[in-house]
Amino acid sequence: MRFLIYFLTIFFSVSAQAYDIQTVKAGGITAWLVQDKSLPMVVVRMSFREGGYAWVKPEEQGLPTLVSRTLKDGAGNLKDDAFREQLEDNAIELGFGVGEDEFSISLQTLAEKKDIAFSLLGKALHEPHFEAAAMERAKTELLTAMEQVREDAASLSAYRFAEVGFAGHPYSYSPYGIPATLKNFKGADLRGFIARRFCKENLVISVAGDVSADELKPLLLEAFGALPDRCELAPEVAKAHLREGGEVVRENFDGPQTVVTFGLPGMARNDERFYGWYILNHLLGGSGLNSWLADAIREKRGLAYYIYTSPDSNMRSAQLRGTFASRNETAGEAIKLLKQTIADIRKRGISEKELAEAKKYLIGSFPLQLDTLRSRASFIQMIQLERLGKDYLEKRNGYMERVTLEEINGLVQEYLHPEKLFIVSVGHESRNPEKK
Amino acid sequence: MKLFRILASLWLAACASPALAKLDAKHYELPNGLKVVVVERPGTEVVTHMMWFDVGSTYEPQGKSGIAHYLEHLVFKETEELGVNEYSRRIEAMGGNNNAFTGRDFTAYYVSIGAQHLEEVMDLEAERLQRLQPSQESFDSEKGVILEERAMRIDNQPVQQLQESMLSALFRHHQYRIPIIGWEHEIKALTLKDAMDFYHHYYQPRNATMLVVGDVEANEVYALARKHFGNWRPQPEAKQLLLVEPPRKGEITIKLHHPGVRQPQWLYMYTAPSLGVGDQKIIFPLMVLSELLGSGKTSLLYKKMAVEEQLVIDTGCDYDDFMRGPGTFTVYATPREGASREDFYRAYQHIVRNVAENGVSAEELTRVKNKLKAASVYSRDGNTAIAYMLGQLLVLGKDESYFNRWEDSIDAVGNYDIKAAAALLLKSDPPVAGVLLPEEAK
């Protein structure tokens, strides 16, 4: 609760520069910067492309995550806890995380501490200790996390969705690793991962806050200057196709409620028709109570507290993905409603009114996505990772506005096939009266 | 040259730094008792509008647990003028996001939206908070939704089931014993009349604060509030009698064996001073002590139990003082296989006793205080987060001066105070212990 204490201040500087993105280059490193002096803090989002948990050999499952868990356990001249203590002493928040495709780093610092923040980051990346006891503790944490996935229906549902939906493909790998692989990793393996996957070429950086381009350059060099220019070739990761249709994949879970995760093959982020797809997702299961699925399943029937969908795309796959939870006795019925809602929209098509309302919301609410330094840094990072262009913030609303009714109804016909739904259902099966 | 640049940038940062500017919130009150509080953030173009009621689940009549939260759901339904879901459709049409939440001590509704839409938002909020008329159909379908919510939050999660039981044991008399979402059997029995009785009785200007944070002018907000809420009729003020929790003798341990559990967990819950109850002077010392004891891998608990003794995989503690009733102090641990809970608890008490007798080193104290003080900057990022926290303070009878004194309050905590806070933990009533275990072998 402590860290939820928020404080108020007056903005003295008008954030007219909120959308002004500067490209900052230093020594082969490039960062996008949105300078904002309104708060004396700096937020940084960084990613190494092809550093995610899918971009390793099968016997290396879990290695990226293990690295992310141990980088702060001693680095440079700061042994064991001393590294974390330095972070705390300077109120620096440094985090490492791993997704399918990227190894990501987040950094938050007071403006007055930014020099030491980048210096400590550099130490962690270039001189991590990977000391044996710390590694053992991290391995135990990861093994425990794997066990605990099975204790939570929502986590288990998401996990099985990837494991089965992308079976045979690295996107089905366990992000935490598996006992068989985890136990073998030694310091040399972790160093090897860093040497292969951390390089300037794959590094994407976005910065928001109280730092100028000139101030940022030496900081980038401090943290990343020693990285090699290029990475070793990553293991090949083929295109991935989400499993289509077929029987519902069931997993037993001891609880009163079933969590369903579902997906359909979808559209890549860089497809020029993406904005129609994005609007379609909003209508189907985007935010709020008014989406077709929320209306059918929650509002009209009270069968779920939450139901939402998102256009989920990765480097090697694209899908529409959604989830909801419903009591064991009603989950089957909710799945039927899911299929029925999609079948209905295929039949009736989207109306002009629906399209206009969706655009109105998506365009009108856009500023809310950039309301904080953190969300701004994250959004700019997304723009870079998806290669949407430096002018994306100015152009985005126009892309939405130009989607025509014909286009979006074309997407309905092309993509929304209820029989293609891949569905995972995690619940207490013996209490589910309808198994279909 | 580098030194000069460092000094220059420090100087510039100091000059340009608005971090040191005190919070400025403007306070008004309408004749009907509605408080209006405004924080101006010019140039941001967006605004968060919140309606806070200092009425939460502790106001529920006996046997009607969950009605405050149920009502919160119904506030999104029909009114005299608005049809089903018309409210949320109109907010969406303006490009706004909205939501609500119910706590033990408060209920709040908020909208984040472009500042140009503020008046229309006020109009809609006035409509639903004064002229709500949900249909029986809406009431009935929302029951299913709320039961699903309870299942999601509690019944489908063994550790949450355990914590729900622990809170009922910790607060065996005080209204905090009752879960905010309500007991399942009581939710099922609630009626539309129950909800509307609660609405008419408690949703009135004397219990309400309008809080607006964003690109607005305070005087304009006040004028709009007068226009849309000026006719809101006040009721005689309803002060809920908050029960006083009597002292407890003897330990309670709640063991939950659950087939879904694979990794045991241990919890210990104590009551503690809060902003509403108890020794106010010990709150900041206890907050600092809690950070020292158990926040993260540099903490005393983690170093001793996870690194040195290797009893646990993870451990820490959490102090919640933002309550009108007694606060809580919780110690938690994820044990390693074969670890003894008695050993853990003994070691925990030993650590606290050591702090009570000897305090902590100056470096440790400074480090933790630096971390806590920085929250005053990090947490200023965005209208909604600001509104959320200021709102909570307002319903607890505090205001922005609490924020403005934050860094000084942390700074003022010395070793003497830390020792006193540790002594308080040791003197406290025995905790309610909770143990989560896999299913017992048959």
Side-chain angles (χ1 to χ4, degrees), chain A residues 2 4-8 11 38 40 85 88-89 91 141 147 151 257 299 305 327 361 373-374, chain B residues 23 41 77 97 148 156 262-263 287 297-298 303 321 367 370 378-379 381 386 389 403 406:
Chain A
R2 272 312 99 211
L4 284 178
I5 303 295
Y6 291 103
F7 290 78
L8 297 119
F11 263 60
S38 56
E85 285 174 354
E88 288 188 355
D89 201 30
E141 273 177 30
E147 288 292 294
E151 288 182 359
Q257 193 179 58
E299 291 301 288
Y305 171 67
R327 297 198 154 229
Y361 169 73
L373 289 177
R374 273 165 277 209
Chain B
L23 157 72
R41 294 179 96 220
K77 302 297 179 185
N97 290 332
E148 294 294 344
N156 230 36
R262 302 157 88 89
Q263 167 61 54
M287 189 195 301
K297 294 188 171 180
T298 54
K303 280 188 188 174
D321 63 327
R367 190 187 83 231
N370 285 349
Y378 292 148
S379 314
D381 194 21
I386 288 167
M389 264 305 131
F403 293 148
W406 173 259

Side-chain angles (χ1 to χ4, degrees), chain B residues 271-288:
Chain B
T271 53
S274 71
L275 292 185
V277 169
D279 179 9
Q280 299 298 291
K281 290 200 289 295
I282 205 76
I283 289 178
F284 276 95
L286 195 46
M287 189 195 301
V288 176

Side-chain angles (χ1 to χ4, degrees), chain B residues 356-401:
Chain B
E357 283 164 22
N358 306 315
V360 298
S361 73
E363 292 79 38
E364 280 177 299
L365 193 52
T366 304
R367 190 187 83 231
V368 159
K369 283 161 72 167
N370 285 349
K371 192 165 77 158
L372 282 172
K373 287 194 297 187
S376 69
V377 174
Y378 292 148
S379 314
R380 298 182 200 182
D381 194 21
N383 290 340
T384 303
I386 288 167
Y388 181 84
M389 264 305 131
L390 180 56
Q392 282 195 80
L393 282 176
L394 291 169
V395 297
L396 292 173
K398 310 286 177 194
D399 59 26
E400 67 274 15
S401 61

Side-chain angles (χ1 to χ4, degrees), chain A residues 165-399:
Chain A
F166 294 112
H169 186 279
Y171 282 160
S172 71
Y173 287 173
S174 159
Y176 301 116
I178 46 183
T181 61
L182 261 185
K183 68 176 192 289
N184 297 327
F185 295 138
K186 301 208 170 11
D189 300 304
L190 278 66
R191 286 181 220 289
F193 174 80
I194 290 178
R196 292 192 301 276
R197 306 259 53 80
F198 288 6
C199 63
K200 291 176 187 173
E201 182 188 38
N202 283 0
L203 178 57
V204 180
I205 306 171
S206 301
V207 185
D210 190 4
V211 60
S212 71
D214 283 339
E215 289 169 327
L216 185 58
K217 286 179 193 176
L219 301 177
L220 295 175
L221 287 171
E222 175 76 29
F224 304 109
L227 288 175
D229 288 335
R230 306 180 81 84
C231 285
E232 249 183 54
L233 209 57
E236 197 195 304
V237 177
K239 225 165 172 269
H241 300 279
L242 181 70
R243 179 168 133 162
E244 275 180 38
E247 289 269 312
V248 171
V249 172
R250 297 183 188 280
E251 183 84 23
N252 192 48
F253 177 80
D254 274 293
Q257 193 179 58
T258 296
V259 180
V260 174
T261 306
F262 57 90
L264 277 172
M267 184 189 292
R269 182 63 184 85
N270 59 7
D271 190 311
E272 61 178 6
R273 302 169 301 162
F274 182 81
Y275 300 94
W277 180 238
Y278 187 82
I279 297 175
L280 177 56
N281 173 77
H282 172 75
L283 286 165
L284 178 64
S287 66
L289 306 171
N290 298 321
S291 70
W292 300 321
L293 288 174
D295 189 55
I297 294 175
R298 174 178 160 147
E299 291 301 288
K300 289 206 162 71
R301 304 288 304 282
L303 297 182
Y305 171 67
Y306 68 89
I307 172 155
Y308 58 84
T309 60
S310 56
D312 181 38
S313 85
N314 304 314
M315 281 177 71
R316 292 289 187 260
S317 76
Q319 49 280 334
L320 180 88
R321 185 195 168 115
T323 184
F324 65 85
S326 187
R327 297 198 154 229
N328 296 326
E329 297 77 17
T330 53
E333 195 182 338
I335 288 175
K336 278 200 179 128
L337 281 170
L338 163 66
K339 293 178 176 173
Q340 190 57 53
T341 303
I342 293 177
D344 285 346
I345 202 63
R346 281 191 73 81
K347 212 151 97 184
R348 71 167 174 85
I350 298 172
S351 70
E352 193 72 71
K353 181 166 181 277
E354 281 175 310
L355 178 59
E357 281 175 358
K359 284 181 185 178
K360 210 164 172 211
Y361 169 73
L362 291 171
I363 290 170
S365 65
F366 188 46
L368 297 176
Q369 289 191 48
L370 302 165
D371 182 31
T372 68
L373 289 177
R374 273 165 277 209
S375 62
R376 221 169 292 162
S378 296
F379 200 92
I380 304 295
Q381 185 70 348
M382 185 278 295
I383 294 175
Q384 289 200 75
L385 286 170
E386 301 289 358
R387 299 187 164 100
L388 301 175
K390 218 169 142 197
D391 53 2
Y392 180 73
L393 291 175
E394 286 84 61
K395 289 195 162 160
R396 181 260 192 198
N397 286 345
Y399 295 146

